[in-house]
Amino acid sequence: MQKLSKLSFIFDFSEKNSPVLRLKTGEEISIETMDCFSDQIRTDEDRLENMDWKKINPATGPVYVEGSHSGDALKVTIKKIILKDRAVLATGRDLGVLGDRIDGLRSKTVKITNGKVIFDEKLSIPVKPMIGVIGVAPKGQAINCGTPGSHGGNMDNTMIGEGAVLYLPVFVEGALFALGDLHAVMGNGEIGVSGAEVAGDVLVKIEIVKKAGLKNPIVETSNAIATVASAKTLDEAVEMAVHDMEAILSPAIGKTTDETAMLLSLVANVEICQVVDPMKTARFVLPKWVLERYGKGIMDLVKAK
Ligand code: CA
Ligand code: ZN
């Protein structure tokens, strides 16, 4: 299996980045990542004020996936997330939803032991490892790793954890895949502007789906499928995620838009990924059993009609 060190990283998803490694479809790769502060906060004495803010949200990569072209999708199976034993929590003035009530920049480091984040003497929080930044290069203008979009990026989607499968639309030859910004745990919304920010290793399997019809990322877990969309406002993000789901679901199950609207209104959930990044991210979550009743699966949604 190929390994990618955290020393190969990018701060933006761009077709101009040179790949650091080449993969064939179906290969597995172990990807080491720094935390979202490039591991600059090591103790409670390390201050966010003194940190180099140009070095935030590094993503390890980019990986060139041989044979992938614009119009394909990258199927990324997240097989394992191994976390280091210490995480950083951060918030501050004008950061996050409560930033109007906080002075300066605040951070603290917390230990992770026995699968729990030790928040204080009274509270330990079970870890639920997830990937904050994961994506491919967009066509044209580069997008910094702190911003989510159709290419993936900083989606901060709690569904993207161990066992999940992420489908990303490919925009440029080789896809130029990268990931970083692991969280030991994060609540939907990420209201304080950080999760439990942690370095670690991610084992992924990468496959190409030829001629996919995706405009935006899709995540699959053991029991649900979600369209994921990012936009200036949450309202717009929700609209995009719902439209994306309808566009792929209706032809797959042979329904008209009005019938699908009635169906989705009963069984699918609008959920928030994050409300704190330059673009906001929402998801529209369809339980898998609904699709199964029609004898369909995820590939019927991902493949172009
Ligand atoms: Ca993030
Ligand atoms: Zn993060």
Side-chain angles (χ1 to χ4, degrees), residues 122-300:
K122 292 196 174 150
L123 183 68
S124 298
I125 305 165
V127 299
K128 195 170 177 269
M130 55 164 282
I131 303 169
V133 173
I134 182 167
V136 294
K139 186 83 200 139
Q141 188 75 44
I143 299 175
N144 72 65
C145 289
T147 303
S150 299
H151 70 297
N154 195 12
M155 295 179 283
D156 285 320
N157 185 337
T158 53
M159 286 175 76
I160 306 177
E162 261 183 13
V165 183
L166 178 64
Y167 296 85
L168 293 162
V170 173
F171 299 102
V172 304
E173 210 181 288
L176 301 181
F177 172 81
L179 66 79
D181 185 31
L182 304 184
H183 298 156
V185 65
M186 188 197 98
N188 287 334
E190 199 186 27
I191 66 98
V193 99
S194 88
E197 304 296 333
V198 64
D201 293 275
V202 184
L203 176 62
V204 295
K205 180 180 182 182
I206 297 182
E207 295 160 273
I208 299 168
V209 180
K210 295 310 277 180
K211 298 201 176 15
L214 298 188
K215 281 201 241 158
N216 288 294
I218 292 182
V219 199
E220 178 190 18
T221 62
S222 56
N223 53 19
I225 293 166
T227 47
V228 184
S230 302
K232 269 277 161 240
T233 67
L234 264 186
D235 284 1
E236 292 167 278
V238 167
E239 193 138 313
M240 272 170 77
V242 172
H243 274 87
D244 279 359
M245 181 63 84
E246 189 280 325
I248 55 179
L249 183 63
S250 292
I253 62 174
K255 299 279 183 203
T256 53
T257 301
D258 53 312
E259 288 174 309
T260 300
M262 290 183 216
L263 169 62
L264 289 173
S265 199
L266 303 185
V267 299
N269 294 313
V270 167
E271 295 178 1
I272 290 170
C273 296
Q274 57 75 26
V275 296
V276 295
D277 294 334
M279 304 275 263
K280 316 299 175 220
T281 308
R283 58 182 182 243
F284 193 42
V285 186
L286 175 72
K288 265 186 181 170
W289 63 262
V290 173
L291 205 51
E292 283 159 9
R293 291 295 189 280
Y294 292 97
K296 301 294 175 183
I298 179 80
M299 275 307 149
D300 296 298

Side-chain angles (χ1 to χ4, degrees), residues 8 37-38 53 64 85 93 95 117 142 145 148 151-152 162 199 205 226 247 279 288 301:
S8 301
F37 304 114
S38 294
W53 281 85
Y64 186 100
D85 60 4
R93 185 79 199 170
L95 294 175
V117 171
C145 289
H151 70 297
E162 261 183 13
K205 180 180 182 182
M279 304 275 263
K288 265 186 181 170
L301 301 188

